[in-house]
Amino acid sequence: MDSDFDPKILMKVKNLSKNYGGLKAVNDVNMDVYAGEILALVGDNGAGKSTLIKSLAGAIKPDNGEIDFNGKTIELLNPRDADNVGIGCLHQGLGLVDSLNVPENVFLGREIQKRFLGIIPQLDNEKMREKTINLLHQFGVSLPKINDAVINLSGGQRQTIAISRLLLQNVKLVILDEPMAALGVEEGGHVLNLIKKMRSENISILLISHNLEHVFQLANRIAVMKNGKMVKIIKTSSTTKEEVVKLITFGKD
C-alpha cells in the first residue's frame, strides 16, 4: 500500500453482481476503496465499469452482493441514499442547468432560503454566492464569471462547477466518470489539480478513465475490469502502462 493515503477502508464492495437477462454486466466483484486515495477504474467499453459505478451511486440496484461504507453495511436504493452517506457521483452529462449561474447550479436542489419580512420565503442569493466562493477558494478554484449563466463558461469551468456541487454535500467518496473527456490540455490540467486537492482533503476518489496518462499521474491504485469481472487491483507504483493495457486487453497477466 502506498504511504500517501490512509490504510482505513472507506468502502468495501463484496461479491457484487448485476445481470441483464443472460448478460452478467457485473460478475461477483470485490473491491476496497481506502480513505484519501484515488482508485482508478479502467477497462474497455462493455467491461462493466458503468454498471459498477451506478450500483455504488444508487442509480441501479445490484442483484447480489454487499456494500460497506464507513464500517457499516448500506443499501443504496437511489442516488439520495448515496448522498446521505457521503457518496457523490459525477456522470459525463454533468447535470448543470445552462440558464442558471454558478451559485444557482452549485446549490441546485439544496437552495438556501431566507424570509422576507420574517414571513415570505425567498432564495438567499447573497449567502449562496458567498458560500460558493468560499468553497471554490478552499479547493484553489477561481472563476471570473461566477454570476454568468454557465452556458457561457468553458468545458473545464463547467466540470469544476459540477464537482463543486458534490463537495458541498460533505462528501467522503467522489465517483468521477471520465472527468477530463473532451477537455484541452490546460483545462484538463485544472481538473487534475482539483482532483489532487480533493485527495489532500482526505476525500476518496473513484476515477473512471480511458486516459492512462491521467491514471498514472493521479491514481494510488488501478482496478482493471473485463467482461464484468474484476481482473486485478494493483498499486500504480508497482505496474506499467504496458501491463495495464495487457490486463485490459486479455484479462490476465
Side-chain angles (χ1 to χ4, degrees):
M1 188 184 306
D2 289 353
S3 60
D4 55 350
F5 61 84
D6 192 331
K8 175 188 174 185
I9 295 175
L10 176 66
M11 173 184 275
K12 180 176 280 291
V13 178
K14 297 185 282 189
N15 307 117
L16 204 73
S17 295
K18 178 65 179 179
N19 301 329
Y20 293 103
L23 173 66
K24 294 184 176 182
V26 173
N27 188 359
D28 202 28
V29 164
N30 292 278
M31 180 180 73
D32 294 338
V33 180
Y34 293 95
E37 80 160 327
I38 298 176
L39 175 63
L41 182 62
V42 301
D44 283 334
N45 293 332
K49 306 186 304 297
S50 293
T51 302
L52 177 60
I53 65 169
K54 287 177 182 176
S55 299
L56 303 182
I60 61 174
K61 190 175 186 301
D63 298 322
N64 297 293
E66 184 175 294
I67 301 170
D68 293 347
F69 193 81
N70 235 6
K72 297 179 180 179
T73 300
I74 59 173
E75 187 175 19
L76 304 176
L77 301 178
N78 53 61
R80 180 65 67 183
D81 290 339
D83 288 345
N84 290 338
V85 298
I87 300 172
C89 185
L90 181 62
H91 299 286
Q92 291 187 52
L94 298 185
L96 300 178
V97 178
D98 286 342
S99 60
L100 299 182
N101 65 24
V102 175
E104 289 167 340
N105 268 286
V106 169
F107 281 89
L108 190 63
R110 295 176 174 80
E111 291 84 357
I112 299 174
Q113 291 191 339
K114 61 182 179 180
R115 292 193 176 271
F116 179 66
L117 299 176
I119 301 172
I120 304 169
Q122 62 182 33
L123 293 179
D124 193 336
N125 292 305
E126 184 177 347
K127 183 169 286 187
M128 288 191 293
R129 185 179 188 277
E130 178 185 342
K131 285 183 173 290
T132 297
I133 291 172
N134 290 338
L135 178 68
L136 294 174
H137 283 173
Q138 178 187 347
F139 287 91
V141 176
S142 176
L143 292 177
K145 300 178 180 179
I146 195 166
N147 292 320
D148 275 15
V150 299
I151 195 172
N152 298 320
L153 301 181
S154 68
Q157 289 172 329
R158 290 165 62 88
Q159 189 74 260
T160 298
I161 294 163
I163 294 173
S164 299
R165 189 169 62 193
L166 298 179
L167 299 176
L168 188 70
Q169 306 167 28
N170 193 26
V171 72
K172 299 179 180 69
L173 170 65
V174 173
I175 302 171
L176 298 175
D177 189 1
E178 299 286 356
M180 279 78 72
L183 296 183
V185 174
E186 183 177 353
E187 291 218 304
H190 290 317
V191 175
L192 289 173
N193 289 334
L194 177 56
I195 293 171
K196 292 175 183 176
K197 179 62 175 175
M198 285 193 288
R199 176 173 57 184
S200 74
E201 297 284 337
N202 206 41
I203 296 171
S204 301
I205 297 153
L206 182 57
L207 173 69
I208 294 84
S209 179
H210 283 94
N211 190 319
L212 291 185
E213 291 288 340
H214 293 156
V215 166
F216 273 80
Q217 184 177 344
L218 290 170
N220 298 95
R221 296 183 301 146
I222 302 170
V224 183
M225 289 190 71
K226 185 173 179 64
N227 297 332
K229 293 185 177 182
M230 185 64 69
V231 176
K232 192 172 187 177
I233 301 177
I234 189 169
K235 285 172 34 177
T236 308
S237 59
S238 301
T239 188
T240 64
K241 292 174 188 172
E242 290 75 19
E243 181 183 7
V244 172
V245 169
K246 187 176 179 182
L247 289 168
I248 292 171
T249 306
F250 301 106
K252 58 184 179 180
D253 292 311

